[in-house]
Amino acid sequence: MNNHLRELRNDHGWSQADLAEKLEVSRQTINAIETGKYDPSLPLAFKIARLFGLSIESIFEPAP
């Protein structure tokens, strides 16, 4: 799965640690999602989408 999490995070001026704190996950989780090593659970994907005020589909998309 591809995602735009790093770009969204940078647009808000947040570090991985900042975003992790807002989502109540570890910084390592954020890093793993951004690098494509981990796909978030559905509840976490909803939490991320809510935080940025976007749809899940606008943040996460299937890999080609």
Side-chain angles (χ1 to χ4, degrees):
M1 182 178 330
N2 297 323
N3 69 75
H4 305 286
L5 191 57
R6 178 173 283 140
E7 295 88 358
L8 291 168
R9 179 177 58 76
N10 286 333
D11 288 349
H12 283 77
W14 296 336
S15 68
Q16 287 182 343
D18 294 334
L19 181 56
E21 185 177 329
K22 293 175 187 311
L23 296 171
E24 299 175 323
V25 298
S26 70
R27 185 201 57 78
Q28 290 84 353
T29 297
I30 300 302
N31 180 268
I33 294 170
E34 287 184 354
T35 58
K37 295 177 183 168
Y38 171 74
D39 292 335
S41 65
L42 193 54
L44 179 54
F46 272 107
K47 204 170 187 181
I48 291 167
R50 257 186 254 114
L51 178 65
F52 289 107
L54 299 169
S55 67
I56 290 175
E57 295 86 358
S58 65
I59 301 172
F60 300 97
E61 53 193 44

